[in-house]
Amino acid sequence: MITVAIDGPAGVGKSSVSKALANEFGLAYLDTGAMYRAVTWWCLNQGVDFSNQQAIIDAVLDFCTNHLDIAVDPTNPRVLSDDVDISDAIRSQDVSSSVSKVSSIPQVRQILIDAQRRLIGREAEPSAFSQGRGVVAEGRDITTVVAPTADVRVLLTAREEVRQARRSGQSKMKTAHVGKDDVAARDKADSKVTSFLEAAEGVTTVDNSEMNFKQTLEAFERMVENVLEEKGELDDYDNGQGTDDGFLDGPDLSGDIDNLDDYELSDEDRELLAAGDTTDSESGAPGRKAVGVIAVVGRPNVGKSTLVNRILGRRAAVVEDTPGVTRDRVSYEAEWAGTDFLVVDTGGWEADVEGIDSAIASQAQIAVGLSDAVILVVDGQVGLTDTDERIVKMLRAAGKPVTVAVNKVDKGDQEYLSADFWSLGMGEPFGISAMHGRGVGDLLDDALGKLKKAEKTSGLLKDTNLRRIALVGRPNVGKSSLLNQLAHEDRSVVNDEAGTTRDPVDEEISLGGKQWLFIDTAGIKRRLHKVSGADYYSSLRTQAALERSELALVLFDVSHPIAEQDLRVMSQAVDAGRAVVLIFNKWDLLDDFGRERIERLYATEFERVTWAQRINLSALTGWHTNRIVEAMETALTSWDKRIPTGKLNTFLGKIQQAHPHPLRGGKQPRILFATQPSTRPPRFVIFATGFLDHGYRRYIERSLREEFGFEGTPVQISVHVREKKKNR
């Protein structure tokens, strides 16, 4: 058995060297620093009072005795709590900011030192991971306190400015990700409880300030080989888990960017490398604030949506100079004079209508019932109509405070147009021009004054932490029907007429014990440049809704032949980088022959999205809609997934060994290093010595999916070809 102990300050590459060295000789790998993070995570998880040292000590002792386990495989080192992998959890910001409070307690350090000694001693057993070969242990106090009798004891160090550059992910450059004094501050904090800047007696110092990863690893390999040769055991380690093909000498199994020191890198490359080990964080959402709701109602084409856009200060609602453009009731968050409220745009209200016009009027009436106050919009140029008077009767029955907006009073000398509307008995009519903004401020002052006197506030500002789901597809595939089925109410207008939905409709829905924000969109047209008017702006808003969503439920009407237009909509969601779930709607209408036809089509036309889950359902009856939640959660988990850089490079090293890239022009491109700079969707950047064929990239993507999952999300892979630095 051989024990290798490696100590040193932050930023010298202890972990990368230790893992590669252990893998080379078939040894176990022990990261003692991870143990300090693990006990800190446990204290946070148990709600321990960090001002109470005894409480911390008791919690750490309990964790190390009854819950902690360490997996010492150098290719996949893990920290386990009750058999649950917490390797990623212990890297959180909360743990990082609290670990020094725990590690500075002498009794805690003694508990962990005892645990580390037991783990090192365990590797002497034939049944251990290394089968008695030994262990490489790295971390504070390893060479002097934990394993002072180790066969190889090394202090790995480098100059502070070099370590700082490595910690920030940029060689000899500063970045915004890590502050200039980060390493110095960490050294200062750690030096209060341990000494690691100078080697103790009998400890060898290796300064790798001017060494790349390969040179550093070779120095350690020589020290280990010398010890094994003295023991007469060198031959026993020739069949270790390492290989002799030179692959371990490269960066593929190390996850250390020092291996790129010999290659030309751009500033963009260095930014990508710096981002590779960061953790994506979601900004915390503010509390959900209760606010009043104002419904904007009126007969068709009086300018309701124009007024809503004026209140919002942007073109959110679709507007066209024809009746019946707005069909659903659509809520928007608004603010006026420091007051937050919801404004609801509605379709034109008409009496004694049938079909889609009746559904639109019903949605407007529902909006009034759910509101706290109402703005009734009338047309000053047309004057008072019978429909206006019937709307007033409906509003009186609802019992909501009403402000009358006489629209299209564009000039001061047209104020007389408002006089006729006093007869409605709704108080002072306000002459406004929604198009130009004239008089809208006075209108809002009056409406909000009545809103503040309302008995209740019916609205809530949206929870920005909700997962955002877009329902997309070509017109009339059943998007609104599915939204209504999930919401268990008629939330959107549903009609056999294609293109019923015009404005994206946001609806918070409770599914699977969680709240979700669903966005019902207008059907995406086949040729956007050939669409005009309301349909054109609806399509633009649908694209914008897709961009602000996180996951797209792509609907197909399988009762009709799936056309190129359907596949284009699907590709639009994939190209936008959204997580995807495929919904084959109206499946209950198919006979056996129709289902066989769809299966054959799926096998040939959906090759691009074989990674997406598919659900066959009926939005109208609700059949199989209960399967949607699990599919969405799986897809979003994959969309958020990040693979640690070390694990990623180890994996790519293995698949490259198993299936090297074909020779091209007498040369064989080789992967140097890979990193995942971002998630949502997962994006991987591979640094290579030459261009990687598209077929080989597909092989890499397929292998990544087989190893790590990524079900339901696109995976983006880009290759940066880099050449070696020229001697100057």
Side-chain angles (χ1 to χ4, degrees):
M1 175 182 172
I2 184 170
T3 300
V4 181
I6 303 176
D7 201 345
V12 294
K14 295 190 303 297
S15 296
S16 299
V17 171
S18 298
K19 285 184 280 190
L21 186 67
N23 197 75
E24 178 73 13
F25 290 95
L27 306 177
Y29 163 72
L30 177 61
D31 177 6
T32 62
M35 298 177 69
Y36 284 96
R37 286 180 169 271
V39 298
T40 304
W41 171 87
W42 177 260
C43 290
L44 289 169
N45 194 51
Q46 298 298 308
V48 174
D49 181 1
F50 275 64
S51 64
N52 186 336
Q53 283 199 4
Q54 189 57 50
I56 295 175
I57 295 168
D58 293 342
V60 170
L61 181 60
D62 173 56
F63 181 56
C64 292
T65 305
N66 302 310
H67 306 281
L68 175 66
D69 193 17
I70 304 291
V72 292
D73 182 350
T75 65
N76 187 26
R78 291 172 296 142
V79 181
L80 306 173
S81 173
D82 296 323
D83 296 324
V84 175
D85 189 349
I86 60 171
S87 304
D88 292 334
I90 65 175
R91 302 291 174 183
S92 71
Q93 183 60 43
D94 287 343
V95 172
S96 298
S97 60
S98 303
V99 67
S100 61
K101 300 175 185 177
V102 177
S103 62
S104 61
I105 301 175
Q107 294 92 328
V108 168
R109 298 187 71 84
Q110 189 58 54
I111 293 170
L112 288 174
I113 288 169
D114 291 341
Q116 292 157 12
R117 286 173 176 169
R118 288 196 300 271
L119 289 168
I120 292 172
R122 187 175 67 183
E123 291 306 314
E125 302 295 327
S127 59
F129 170 83
S130 67
Q131 299 178 341
R133 291 172 176 268
V135 61
V136 177
E138 57 98 354
R140 301 286 187 258
D141 294 331
I142 284 292
T143 59
T144 55
V145 179
V146 179
T149 60
D151 301 286
V152 178
R153 293 191 296 157
V154 181
L155 174 70
L156 181 59
T157 188
R159 296 193 304 274
E160 183 179 308
E161 66 272 16
V162 175
R163 295 189 286 115
Q164 179 57 57
R166 292 172 181 171
R167 291 290 296 180
S168 63
Q170 297 187 16
S171 179
K172 300 180 181 180
M173 293 178 61
K174 294 185 297 180
T175 72
H177 295 286
V178 180
K180 181 177 179 181
D181 297 327
D182 183 68
V183 166
R186 183 168 171 178
D187 289 347
K188 183 177 180 180
D190 289 346
S191 64
K192 295 178 180 179
V193 290
T194 182
S195 176
F196 53 84
L197 297 178
E198 294 183 2
E201 184 177 355
V203 176
T204 302
T205 299
V206 174
D207 188 323
N208 67 355
S209 300
E210 307 299 331
M211 300 165 65
N212 61 25
F213 177 82
K214 179 180 179 181
Q215 293 167 333
T216 304
L217 181 58
E218 287 175 345
F220 277 83
E221 288 174 345
R222 286 193 295 270
M223 284 187 280
V224 172
E225 289 171 352
N226 290 338
V227 171
L228 292 175
E229 190 171 12
E230 290 178 2
K231 289 185 171 186
E233 299 176 0
L234 184 58
D235 292 342
D236 297 335
Y237 287 78
D238 284 344
N239 295 320
Q241 295 177 2
T243 62
D244 296 324
D245 60 2
F247 191 78
L248 280 171
D249 293 338
D252 304 271
L253 298 182
S254 70
D256 196 315
I257 65 170
D258 291 347
N259 294 280
L260 293 175
D261 281 351
D262 293 338
Y263 292 84
E264 298 285 355
L265 299 180
S266 66
D267 290 346
E268 179 187 1
D269 293 337
R270 299 185 186 283
E271 290 177 2
L272 290 171
L273 294 168
D277 277 325
T278 60
T279 301
D280 298 300
S281 60
E282 286 287 289
S283 59
R288 302 196 65 195
K289 180 181 178 182
V291 295
V293 179
I294 297 178
V296 179
V297 300
R299 58 185 178 82
N301 207 35
V302 294
K304 298 182 295 299
S305 295
T306 304
L307 176 59
V308 168
N309 286 339
R310 176 61 59 184
I311 293 171
L312 298 175
R314 67 182 190 279
R315 287 195 62 161
V318 175
V319 175
E320 186 179 9
D321 191 19
T322 56
V325 172
T326 301
R327 291 171 172 175
D328 299 296
R329 51 187 163 96
V330 187
S331 297
Y332 302 98
E333 294 182 0
E335 182 270 335
W336 177 255
T339 300
D340 294 315
F341 61 99
L342 294 182
V343 58
V344 182
D345 190 16
T346 65
W349 191 92
E350 294 181 275
D352 303 325
V353 289
E354 298 179 351
I356 188 171
D357 293 328
S358 175
I360 293 170
S362 296
Q363 288 295 320
Q365 200 158 339
I366 292 171
V368 170
L370 297 176
S371 68
D372 303 307
V374 175
I375 294 178
L376 170 61
V377 184
V378 295
D379 190 331
Q381 298 291 333
V382 174
L384 185 62
T385 68
D386 291 342
T387 302
D388 292 329
E389 292 178 340
R390 297 187 72 167
I391 294 175
V392 168
K393 291 181 180 178
M394 181 266 289
L395 294 177
R396 283 201 178 101
K400 302 299 171 70
V402 178
T403 300
V404 179
V406 184
N407 194 24
K408 305 181 185 179
V409 181
D410 297 333
K411 299 178 181 178
D413 58 7
Q414 296 178 327
E415 281 291 345
Y416 69 90
L417 297 175
S418 305
D420 287 347
F421 295 95
W422 278 98
S423 62
L424 293 175
M426 290 289 175
E428 179 185 358
F430 289 83
I432 68 166
S433 173
M435 177 67 72
H436 305 295
R438 181 182 179 276
V440 174
D442 292 338
L443 173 74
L444 285 175
D445 288 341
D446 184 80
L448 288 177
K450 293 176 179 177
L451 184 65
K452 292 176 182 177
K453 297 177 183 178
E455 295 180 0
K456 60 178 180 178
T457 51
S458 303
L460 291 171
L461 297 183
K462 288 186 177 66
D463 184 348
T464 56
N465 252 2
L466 296 182
R467 305 314 297 253
R468 302 180 298 278
I469 315 299
L471 297 163
V472 299
R474 63 180 174 85
N476 212 30
V477 294
K479 299 182 293 297
S480 296
S481 296
L482 181 59
L483 178 65
N484 289 343
Q485 182 64 237
L486 296 175
H488 301 295
E489 64 171 298
D490 291 337
R491 184 59 185 85
S492 292
V493 173
V494 176
N495 192 271
D496 290 337
E497 174 188 330
T500 300
T501 301
R502 291 272 175 73
D503 298 277
V505 177
D506 290 10
E507 177 73 0
E508 291 187 26
I509 297 176
S510 178
L511 292 174
K514 294 171 58 177
Q515 290 292 116
W516 306 77
L517 182 65
F518 280 82
I519 309 166
D520 184 16
T521 66
I524 299 176
K525 303 295 181 179
R526 183 171 184 176
R527 291 285 187 269
L528 184 59
H529 66 277
K530 293 184 179 181
V531 179
S532 61
D535 288 337
Y536 173 79
Y537 289 107
S538 294
S539 297
L540 289 181
R541 281 159 175 74
T542 295
Q543 293 179 2
L546 186 59
E547 290 295 335
R548 69 184 175 93
S549 69
E550 298 176 303
L551 180 145
L553 294 181
V554 185
L555 276 78
F556 301 84
D557 179 355
V558 294
S559 66
H560 293 83
I562 292 178
E564 180 184 354
Q565 184 181 359
D566 293 288
L567 301 177
R568 183 176 291 109
V569 172
M570 178 183 69
S571 294
Q572 187 173 343
V574 175
D575 293 340
R578 305 304 98 174
V580 170
V581 175
L582 305 178
I583 304 295
F584 280 19
N585 190 24
K586 306 182 185 181
W587 190 262
D588 55 323
L589 302 181
L590 296 180
D591 55 18
D592 290 342
F593 176 79
R595 294 180 181 183
E596 290 177 4
R597 171 180 57 82
I598 292 297
E599 294 297 348
R600 288 195 300 270
L601 184 68
Y602 180 77
T604 57
E605 299 297 330
F606 287 77
E607 291 182 347
R608 187 183 183 191
V609 289
T610 54
W611 41 264
Q613 294 185 76
R614 170 188 139 195
I615 302 175
N616 306 325
L617 54 75
S618 170
L620 186 62
T621 65
W623 178 70
H624 277 182
T625 54
N626 61 322
R627 299 182 177 183
I628 291 178
V629 175
E630 183 178 354
M632 291 192 306
E633 290 181 336
T634 299
L636 288 170
T637 298
S638 298
W639 198 59
D640 293 333
K641 182 177 293 185
R642 178 183 290 279
I643 307 302
T645 301
K647 182 183 292 187
L648 173 64
N649 282 275
T650 297
F651 173 72
L652 290 178
K654 290 179 179 178
I655 68 171
Q656 184 175 232
Q657 282 183 305
H659 297 285
H661 192 287
L663 289 172
R664 292 291 181 265
K667 296 183 179 180
Q668 186 177 55
R670 183 169 60 90
I671 297 175
L672 297 169
F673 187 82
T675 186
Q676 183 184 352
S678 62
T679 60
R680 304 185 162 198
R683 179 186 171 219
F684 298 93
V685 176
I686 296 175
F687 294 86
T689 60
F691 178 79
L692 301 184
D693 291 348
H694 292 295
Y696 199 76
R697 296 188 194 197
R698 287 194 295 271
Y699 159 67
I700 292 174
E701 179 182 345
R702 187 170 62 252
S703 300
L704 284 170
R705 292 187 182 280
E706 291 174 354
E707 179 71 14
F708 300 112
F710 293 116
E711 185 177 15
T713 180
V715 170
Q716 299 175 351
I717 297 176
S718 59
V719 177
H720 290 199
V721 177
R722 294 296 175 258
E723 298 180 353
K724 280 200 171 186
K725 295 178 181 178
K726 297 179 181 179
N727 294 326
R728 295 181 173 85

